Amino acid sequence: MSTVTSGDQPLPSSLLDRLAAVLGPRGILTGTADVEPYLADWRALYHGRTPCVLRPASTAELAELVKLCAAAGVPLVPQGGNTSMVGGATPDEGGRQVVVSLARMNRVRDIDPLDMTMTAEAGVIVKAAQEAAESAGCLFPLSFGGEGTATVGGVLSTNAGGNTTVRYGNARELMLGLEVVLPDGQVWNGLRRLRKDNTGYALRHLFVGAEGTLGFITAAVLRLFPRARETEVAFCAVRDEDAALALFRRFRDRDEAAVRAFEYMSGTGVGLYRTQIEGGNVPLDGADHYVLVDLASSRPDAGLRTLLEAVLEEALEAGEVLDAAVAESEAQRAAIWRIREEHPEAQKREGASVKNDVSVPVSRTPELMRRSSAALRALIPGSRPVPFGHLGDGNIHMNLQQPPEMDPAAFLARSHDIMDAVNEIVRDLGGSFSAEHGIGRLKTDMMEGWRGGAELDVMRRVKAALDPAGLMNPGKVLP
Amino acid sequence: MSTVTSGDQPLPSSLLDRLAAVLGPRGILTGTADVEPYLADWRALYHGRTPCVLRPASTAELAELVKLCAAAGVPLVPQGGNTSMVGGATPDEGGRQVVVSLARMNRVRDIDPLDMTMTAEAGVIVKAAQEAAESAGCLFPLSFGGEGTATVGGVLSTNAGGNTTVRYGNARELMLGLEVVLPDGQVWNGLRRLRKDNTGYALRHLFVGAEGTLGFITAAVLRLFPRARETEVAFCAVRDEDAALALFRRFRDRDEAAVRAFEYMSGTGVGLYRTQIEGGNVPLDGADHYVLVDLASSRPDAGLRTLLEAVLEEALEAGEVLDAAVAESEAQRAAIWRIREEHPEAQKREGASVKNDVSVPVSRTPELMRRSSAALRALIPGSRPVPFGHLGDGNIHMNLQQPPEMDPAAFLARSHDIMDAVNEIVRDLGGSFSAEHGIGRLKTDMMEGWRGGAELDVMRRVKAALDPAGLMNPGKVLP
């Protein structure tokens, strides 16, 4: 989407010297090859430039560098695992924006299985946080495709969702407290591990989802949960989109606390998995609509199999479920999840695709999928809608695969038309143009149309109040 | 705590005329007797004055009155059910602050049992919201003593907690979207009913808990849940504070989703219930420490009785539980809950008491209760600590009852010493000086000491950005 320009604008040597004194030799990267991995986003939509990459090892170092850069008017771009889907963590092409990587701040400071909390630094990888929780006998439930690379700071800054939001909430709901370095270098220690704390404005919620435009999240107190002692996973062929929703409702009404994930997949998407992924076996082939149900409970005697079979039987009788495969082992559970998890990779191998991370009220998901699919097929004849994802949250990734014969570049040139076509329907259904990926750079130009008026006015006032010089992640979130 | 001064400063008649044109005859109260109920807070800590009480019937009327008052520089005090525990909803003694009651905006605009959402106006009473949800076959779980008077706008503005926070979260976590009239009269319609929506700063979280200092919450989209189909309630005599916590941990680890409430009561508090409340029977008399356990599930076959008995048996064997009474009927469940719910009334009848709404990490609740009780007894010999409340949230109401022979006024004159003594321990345990009641007017002078520095600095900048003239609920929250 943007061109690479060579060269950059180095920082004044006096500032570099001061930064070096604070950060030490491991803390500053300036070589072209060294900074390269920090310049392009994961989807390769953008490729920016930077004078250098700063890698503080502690909150104190970060606070010091922010003060120095603020005094010099240097704009900063926070970066965690660099897995943003919307170009939220990479610098622009101007060559002035300094990337600040939180990767070295990767300590789990504390785990308390009685308080059910973990205090983790921003650079802790989500997978590592999961493992740390597990080794303390607990569960950190946030889970999504990028969990092996994404960091705690990143998922909080984007308010990541993922597969288990339906049960445990998104990143915001898993956060009790934050430590933040403000745009002027002040450190706010809000690492409280309290379930109830009504003492003024909820600043922590302002930084979550702000995508680094209001300051650096440097550490967080995260909520933990008891581990699952019973799990059941089923892969179901369902009649249509309405049947998928009806099945979700049946499970939720029976035991909403047991529904850990409820993921929709289309016949097209499952077909791509079968043809593009090695060993891509599918238990129930040939249907147009599928659902993955994942039930879990910390009760060892939860009776989830009974619950699962009872609900599936009702839904079979009602004609909603056509057929269902219930996993009988951990390997089978993993195999079913793999169908869902490999959707992005299968789409990638099949050719070009355009991603739409949208949400609607749960009740409108069937209409979203049907209307969007029709609109997209009409927009680009031969294109293949691949809706999939978190039906239980109303968050369907309404993706579109290129027509087999079409030139990928020509298809991608229609990206904005494709997003617009979906968004028009999303708006009509009372939905959102960004469910869990955020705004970053990709969707800033949609903010005026969707959040304009009073809402954007307040956002701008908040931004100006916290970051009057506009040095924190400029060009992201706000148009 | 403050004296009543007579008279008030009437609004200019031109402004009154304009307000009358917008609000109609039912929308403005000016008579002394008419405004009186709006001037004193529920705990009778304060008694203020006001030129008039405005009672808009719609968001449009409210927006219009805010514009008129903003232009005239008239400060406004939002009021819902007027059940604030910290004087957050009453005007000061200056006679300039106009009370704006949201009581007439009391429509449930929409209930959707498929989306599991309710859109309710600010003036809807919490109890009415619960009943509306129930009649749609759903549960609105927020529940606390004042639910028959408190309003949706009020509980969101204070981020109320209550008995079921341990399972369903506080008011904030039950809120998906808001409609807000901003201090300049702009209306922000953020009534989205989306589980995932990452589109810029989370403004809704800024207004929740802001106690009306950033604008008026006029309506909200609230989350609903499936109704409980199985419930179990037990009243347990436990060995000591540690045993109470150990019992909580046993239930939580077994099935955290089943624990709807876990309430601690002291022998002193239960004794006051027995002596002060008509029909105040207590199943297990004579212990020093009690716990109320409330389990619930939407599963009709959840087997909660089995779970309850298994856990109690383990805890009996471990010596944590001394004896337990399990309710066998709805009447018995209500009778057990009544012991807990009548604590405030029993305390009131016994004489003067000072309330401490504090929270600590759950793991520190035994230490909080033990150390505070000792400190309070030392501070005022003969005084009786009555700790009770939401142990599962770390939120213990660390209340103190006057010595039987002491003059109530002399005891209440020590209020600040009492609060300070508790707060010193709370601070040492990493807790908060306001768990669920908020700051209001009562605790503004504690903000500097507890939230001073970067945090209060950011709060002040946010306040100035949204309400530069300082007309929204002046004197509340921020010192």
Side-chain angles (χ1 to χ4, degrees), chain A residues 57 78 92 99 126-127 186 202 235 255 273 296 303 370 372 396:
Chain A
D92 71 6
V99 174
V126 172
K127 185 87 186 155
Q186 281 189 89
F235 185 69
D255 190 0
Y273 170 78
R370 271 197 301 267
S372 298
I396 300 290

Side-chain angles (χ1 to χ4, degrees), chain A residues 112-116 158-162 165-170 172-173 182 184 186-190 192-211 213-214 223 225-226 229 245 249 252-257 297-304 306-307 359-364 390 393 395 430-439 447 451 453-455 457-459 461-463 465-468 477-478, chain B residues 112-116 158-162 165-170 172-173 182 184 186-190 192-211 213-214 223 225-226 229 245 249 252-257 297-304 306-307 359-364 390 393 395 430-439 447 451 453-455 457-459 461-463 465-468 477-478:
Chain A
D112 191 322
L114 183 46
D115 284 331
M116 284 288 192
T158 55
N159 188 25
T165 307
V166 68
R167 170 65 179 92
Y168 296 102
N170 46 24
R172 176 187 304 286
E173 292 163 273
L182 297 166
D184 61 5
Q186 281 189 89
V187 178
W188 169 46
N189 182 345
R192 304 193 274 269
R193 56 176 76 180
L194 302 172
R195 197 77 173 85
K196 291 182 176 174
D197 174 35
N198 286 347
T199 53
Y201 306 151
L203 298 186
R204 66 188 193 282
H205 285 290
L206 206 49
F207 295 103
V208 171
E211 303 184 30
T213 63
L214 298 178
R223 290 182 64 187
F225 292 82
R229 294 196 187 81
L245 178 61
R249 192 178 184 175
R252 186 190 59 186
D253 287 358
R254 191 71 65 101
D255 190 0
E256 42 94 31
S297 173
S298 56
R299 277 183 76 171
D301 58 345
L304 295 181
T306 310
L307 188 156
S359 63
V360 292
V362 176
S363 61
R364 315 305 289 272
H390 323 301
D393 307 316
N395 172 205
S432 172
F433 66 106
S434 186
E436 56 179 9
H437 295 168
I439 303 301
M447 285 292 280
R451 300 289 174 253
E455 186 164 357
D457 175 37
V458 174
M459 287 189 202
R461 283 193 261 168
V462 167
K463 169 73 172 176
L466 270 71
D467 180 24
V477 183
L478 298 178
Chain B
D112 191 321
L114 184 45
D115 284 331
M116 283 287 193
T158 54
N159 188 26
T165 307
V166 67
R167 170 63 180 91
Y168 295 102
N170 46 24
R172 176 186 305 286
E173 291 163 273
L182 297 166
D184 61 4
Q186 283 190 89
V187 177
W188 169 45
N189 182 344
R192 303 193 274 269
R193 55 176 76 181
L194 302 172
R195 197 76 172 84
K196 290 182 176 174
D197 174 36
N198 286 347
T199 53
Y201 307 150
L203 299 186
R204 66 188 192 282
H205 285 291
L206 206 48
F207 295 103
V208 172
E211 303 185 30
T213 63
L214 299 177
R223 291 182 64 188
F225 292 81
R229 294 196 188 82
L245 178 61
R249 192 176 185 176
R252 186 190 61 187
D253 287 358
R254 191 71 64 99
D255 189 0
E256 41 94 33
S297 172
S298 56
R299 277 184 76 172
D301 59 343
L304 295 181
T306 311
L307 188 156
S359 64
V360 293
V362 176
S363 61
R364 314 306 289 271
H390 323 300
D393 307 317
N395 171 202
S432 172
F433 66 106
S434 186
E436 56 179 9
H437 295 168
I439 302 302
M447 286 291 281
R451 300 289 174 253
E455 187 164 357
D457 175 37
V458 174
M459 287 189 202
R461 283 194 260 168
V462 168
K463 169 73 173 175
L466 269 71
D467 180 25
V477 183
L478 298 179

Side-chain angles (χ1 to χ4, degrees), chain B residues 116-118 120 124-134 137-144 147 151-152 155-156 164 168 170-171 173-175 221-227:
Chain B
M116 283 287 193
T117 57
M118 173 193 301
V124 172
I125 287 170
V126 172
K127 185 86 184 157
Q130 292 169 357
E131 288 166 359
E134 205 173 309
C138 304
L139 169 76
F140 176 60
L142 192 71
S143 175
F144 58 99
E147 64 192 27
T151 60
V152 164
V155 296
L156 288 169
T164 60
Y168 295 102
N170 46 24
E173 291 163 273
L174 299 173
M175 174 272 317
V221 178
L222 302 169
R223 291 182 64 188
L224 305 179
F225 292 81
R227 272 180 310 177

